Amino acid sequence: MNNTYFDTEKKEAFRQALIAWYLEHKRILPWREDTDPYRIWVSEIMLQQTRVDTVIPYFERFMTRFKTMKDFAYADENAILKIWEGLGYYSRVRNLQTAMRQVIEEHNGIVPNTKKAILGLKGVGPYTAGAILSIAYQKAEPAIDGNVMRVMSRVCEIDADIMKPSTRKIFETVLYDLIDPIDPASFNQGLMEIGALVCTPKKPMCLLCPLQSFCLAHQNGRELDYPVKIKKVKTKKIQLLSIIALDKQRILVEQRQESGLLANLFQFPTVEVGANDNREMIKLAFLKKYGFEVELKDALPHVKHIFSHLVWEVDVMTAKVTDFIPQEKVKFVSLEEMSELAFPVPYQKMWQSFIEEKGNLDNE
């Protein structure tokens, strides 16, 4: 990459081309209706690792339920997890609630407008800080996400591996110099929008791109060589068995631990099993973990769920439970009560399969 690639004239031309394109082509999204930092903050947290089309209904339900920052900051955690149910990465919403309490208690309810202060909030990293500061407060702070790195790595032919944290400094250096000081909100959102709609990972639409004339990768026919991404993530596979057990129109559920993966969410009783475990070994696993006997019945569709660092392979069966003693975290609940509990996606799939196959909650 040539550090002198953008001279003064070229910088201004780049900014004008980008912002003009954005103002003409930007998508109509609910969090773009105003520049309320609360709404922008919530949307940016939801959009991490999640597609825009998926986020829209979640965002609208969230804002209907928690109209103000204070409504959300002091809401019951179960209510928050239920609204977030299905979005995944549940630590995001817990950190968001903690951070908004910080804003109320330490910043008089006003989202900070300086980088140092906003980075002091729980769960707020450089990208989220840049997005809030630029969009809500028109501060010339870059917001560097995957879309932005893809666009700028192609424009400038940045050969550094984007999986390395140190690479972010390269993009920061380029973008602090390049960002439009008058309209940083449109500049940042324009780069994000081009990355999402035009400069896509596998089929960039270069002929439609307003940055085509600035793009070194396009000029050299190397668009698909960027961004450089060397992924070395090893995933662990875990074999599980979950049961859906009924008693008098009630469903047996378990609340997960208060920390760790999917903390505090609900699931159906689940044990880790080996590839060669027979029914007796599985029954023994349930007895050791929960203290009750299970009579395994019908198999339901297998569920596979991929996390960033591991893969769940889950066999699912209906079952009858005997010698059950209610516990703090394991209990039978009514269908109405269950509708208020937040379940991770794999357990939502199990329940949907059960309803589709069984049709009702009649005991077997």
Side-chain angles (χ1 to χ4, degrees):
M1 185 192 78
N2 184 350
N3 289 330
T4 61
Y5 176 59
F6 285 102
D7 59 28
T8 301
E9 185 177 343
K10 204 166 192 177
K11 277 192 285 192
E12 189 57 36
F14 183 97
R15 294 165 179 164
Q16 289 180 7
L18 173 62
I19 292 173
W21 178 90
Y22 173 70
L23 294 177
E24 182 177 354
H25 296 282
K26 65 180 179 180
R27 288 170 289 182
I28 304 301
L29 300 172
W31 47 87
R32 289 178 176 166
E33 292 174 358
D34 55 44
T35 57
D36 179 355
Y38 169 57
R39 292 170 60 87
I40 292 166
W41 190 358
V42 170
S43 72
E44 291 298 342
I45 298 300
M46 286 186 170
L47 286 164
Q48 293 173 14
Q49 309 291 330
T50 312
R51 291 171 55 87
V52 167
D53 290 346
T54 300
V55 166
I56 290 172
Y58 278 95
F59 180 82
E60 290 175 336
R61 286 195 295 269
F62 188 101
M63 285 301 159
T64 299
R65 176 66 178 80
F66 307 116
K67 291 183 173 60
T68 68
M69 190 185 305
K70 191 172 183 180
D71 291 336
F72 170 67
Y74 297 102
D76 178 73
E77 184 177 273
N78 286 332
I80 290 171
L81 293 176
K82 187 63 180 175
I83 287 283
W84 204 268
E85 183 183 58
L87 269 179
Y89 301 93
Y90 293 90
S91 60
R92 293 182 300 174
V93 71
R94 293 189 178 94
N95 288 340
L96 183 61
Q97 185 181 41
T98 299
M100 290 193 177
R101 286 178 181 170
Q102 285 181 265
V103 170
I104 291 170
E105 295 167 8
E106 300 171 17
H107 299 278
N108 297 317
I110 300 172
V111 178
N113 65 358
T114 66
K115 186 175 180 179
K116 181 179 180 180
I118 204 165
L119 285 174
L121 302 175
K122 180 77 171 178
V124 175
Y127 167 75
T128 304
I132 296 171
L133 291 173
S134 63
I135 300 170
Y137 295 120
Q138 287 288 5
K139 300 281 186 176
E141 289 287 339
I144 304 171
D145 67 355
N147 282 329
V148 170
M149 283 195 284
R150 182 168 59 256
V151 173
M152 294 309 301
S153 68
R154 288 171 174 168
V155 168
C156 299
E157 287 196 327
I158 297 174
D159 293 308
D161 179 7
I162 65 168
M163 299 302 290
K164 293 182 178 179
S166 58
T167 300
R168 182 184 175 85
K169 293 294 183 183
I170 298 174
F171 288 94
E172 284 184 347
T173 298
V174 171
L175 287 168
Y176 269 118
D177 182 55
L178 189 57
I179 191 169
D180 189 280
I182 298 173
D183 191 0
S186 294
F187 181 93
N188 280 343
Q189 290 178 99
L191 283 180
M192 296 174 200
E193 202 82 330
I194 285 177
L197 302 179
V198 179
C199 193
T200 53
K202 295 181 180 179
K203 294 183 179 180
M205 294 175 278
C206 299
L207 295 179
L208 302 178
C209 184
L211 306 180
Q212 179 193 136
S213 64
F214 304 93
C215 184
L216 291 178
H218 176 68
Q219 292 168 22
N220 295 324
R222 298 186 60 204
E223 298 93 335
L224 297 184
D225 292 342
Y226 298 95
V228 175
K229 185 176 183 180
I230 304 172
K231 194 170 184 178
K232 299 179 180 179
V233 178
K234 292 184 178 180
T235 57
K236 179 182 178 182
K237 184 177 291 187
I238 299 178
Q239 185 69 44
L240 304 169
L241 189 139
S242 295
I243 59 169
I244 296 183
L246 307 179
D247 178 58
K248 298 178 182 177
Q249 307 295 303
R250 297 180 302 159
I251 308 100
L252 186 60
V253 299
E254 172 189 9
Q255 188 172 24
R256 292 178 64 86
Q257 295 180 353
E258 295 179 0
S259 60
L261 182 68
L262 305 175
N264 276 345
L265 296 178
F266 284 82
Q267 64 181 29
F268 303 116
T270 299
V271 295
E272 187 169 346
V273 297
N276 299 316
D277 285 1
N278 58 31
R279 287 200 171 202
E280 290 306 313
M281 297 170 71
I282 293 170
K283 289 168 66 176
L284 182 60
F286 276 100
L287 181 61
K288 285 183 175 180
K289 182 175 180 180
Y290 297 104
F292 54 66
E293 296 272 359
V294 297
E295 178 186 342
L296 299 174
K297 294 190 173 185
D298 299 330
L300 292 168
H302 181 86
V303 172
K304 180 177 182 178
H305 192 75
I306 301 173
F307 297 91
S308 58
H309 58 297
L310 59 85
V311 177
W312 278 2
E313 295 281 0
V314 193
D315 289 325
V316 190
M317 301 191 74
T318 59
K320 182 177 180 181
V321 172
T322 57
D323 299 326
F324 175 74
I325 299 175
Q327 306 167 33
E328 181 183 0
K329 297 283 188 178
V330 185
K331 59 185 177 181
F332 281 96
V333 298
S334 68
L335 189 61
E336 183 179 0
E337 289 173 313
M338 186 170 165
S339 69
E340 298 297 320
L341 305 178
F343 286 79
V345 168
Y347 291 95
Q348 294 179 46
K349 292 180 179 177
M350 296 175 202
W351 181 244
Q352 187 61 37
S353 294
F354 175 80
I355 294 299
E356 289 174 357
E357 296 208 5
K358 299 300 180 182
N360 56 51
L361 298 188
D362 292 339
N363 290 322
E364 307 263 313

